[in-house]
Amino acid sequence: MKRTLAAFMVLSLMGCGPGAIDVKTSFEQAQAAYDRLMTLHPEAVDTQGYRIYMAKARSARDSGNYASAENYAVQARGQADSSYTTLEQLKTSTKELLDATRSKMDNLLVPSQYAVHLFFTARAAYYDGGYRHAESLLDEASGKLDIDAQTAFARSVTLNVPNSLRYRFGDHIPVFSFLGNDFRLHRQIRSIKGPVEVEFVNQFFLNEDFSYFHIKSAKLNVDGWVYPQFVVKGKIKEVK
């Protein structure tokens, strides 16, 4: 009687534990969490917890210890979910820093070339998923731009048609209404005779070596965008 009761209890306990199907489901859920994490281009440190627990889960499953296998798989899923949340937050904060650094850079008439280089290097790293590297570069670029801003006194530029473009434009510089989402200037609103001094509002760097300029002049009653080929950073006497 005692042996029968003991056997019944063992079988009951075995029946209450997870089976192969339950473990398979837990593994699939952990894998799905990992696949989602991979969409954020994680670094090795971000997947380390998942990899450790999944290795334990597979070992336990292969040895027939389904209870431990399921437990480790659940922990692996938790690690993947946690890393995903962390990376999502990092991605968001880095994008905000990217935008803030661009704003500093574009509002300076002459930001240092080093800061501009750091910004575009960080931008490339961000879009490649290197959020931590991008954040570090942007911190440095932002600090450098703060220093640049302390010594930035010039807020005017001279519009002039260079000799290489006179055959096409004569003495007149085209001014456009806005910079579009296609990163081109649209809707010409004026044609200003140069050379003429105007106020620098800001610029938009398309890459390290090219930026569109937003200018305005109360005297000329103009507020718009011009191509960099027509901009001289200073007085016209600096034009060679």
Side-chain angles (χ1 to χ4, degrees):
M1 182 65 180
K2 292 183 179 179
R3 291 181 179 178
T4 302
L5 181 59
F8 176 77
M9 293 179 62
V10 170
L11 289 173
S12 297
L13 291 172
M14 291 177 61
C16 292
I21 294 178
D22 299 318
V23 173
K24 180 176 181 294
T25 299
S26 296
F27 272 53
E28 290 173 347
Q29 292 174 343
Q31 182 64 50
Y34 177 76
D35 291 341
R36 186 177 69 141
L37 173 60
M38 292 304 292
T39 63
L40 294 180
H41 311 285
E43 299 176 26
V45 67
D46 300 308
T47 62
Q48 184 178 24
Y50 170 87
R51 289 183 285 107
I52 289 174
Y53 281 109
M54 279 307 294
K56 292 181 178 181
R58 294 188 184 98
S59 177
R61 179 196 59 189
D62 294 344
S63 65
N65 189 345
Y66 293 144
S68 293
E70 183 177 42
N71 179 55
Y72 287 135
V74 169
Q75 292 187 68
R77 176 186 176 185
Q79 289 288 321
D81 287 340
S82 177
S83 291
Y84 181 88
T85 299
T86 299
L87 277 184
E88 269 282 287
Q89 294 171 345
L90 179 60
K91 180 181 179 181
T92 298
S93 63
T94 305
K95 182 60 167 64
E96 291 172 350
L97 183 56
L98 191 71
D99 293 341
T101 305
R102 171 179 277 284
S103 180
K104 287 183 180 182
M105 180 177 70
D106 287 350
N107 280 315
L108 289 172
L109 176 58
V110 189
S112 68
Q113 191 60 40
Y114 180 60
V116 175
H117 174 70
L118 284 173
F119 172 81
F120 280 100
T121 303
R123 183 175 180 271
Y126 171 83
Y127 285 109
D128 284 340
Y131 308 124
R132 292 182 181 87
H133 182 47
E135 186 177 52
S136 176
L137 292 172
L138 289 169
D139 282 338
E140 185 178 359
S142 182
K144 179 59 179 172
L145 290 168
D146 286 339
I147 296 174
D148 293 340
Q150 295 173 11
T151 57
F153 303 108
R155 294 299 299 182
S156 66
V157 296
T158 300
L159 300 185
N160 185 60
V161 181
N163 292 332
S164 60
L165 295 177
R166 285 188 181 278
Y167 72 94
R168 179 178 176 185
F169 295 97
D171 293 328
H172 290 77
I173 298 95
V175 181
F176 296 84
S177 176
F178 65 95
L179 172 63
N181 292 330
D182 58 355
F183 303 116
R184 295 178 181 275
L185 301 186
H186 293 271
R187 196 164 68 83
Q188 184 175 339
I189 55 176
R190 290 287 298 277
S191 182
I192 300 176
K193 185 176 182 180
V196 61
E197 188 174 343
V198 295
E199 181 183 347
F200 166 77
V201 179
N202 54 36
Q203 60 186 313
F204 182 87
F205 278 89
L206 197 58
N207 55 51
E208 290 188 43
D209 304 308
F210 186 95
S211 63
Y212 296 109
F213 285 81
H214 182 191
I215 57 89
K216 69 178 182 179
S217 170
K219 180 180 179 181
L220 299 174
N221 190 29
V222 65
D223 186 340
W225 291 80
V226 296
Y227 284 93
Q229 294 91 326
F230 303 107
V231 175
V232 178
K233 298 174 183 177
K235 304 294 183 180
I236 192 62
K237 65 181 181 180
E238 296 182 12
V239 179
K240 305 299 183 181

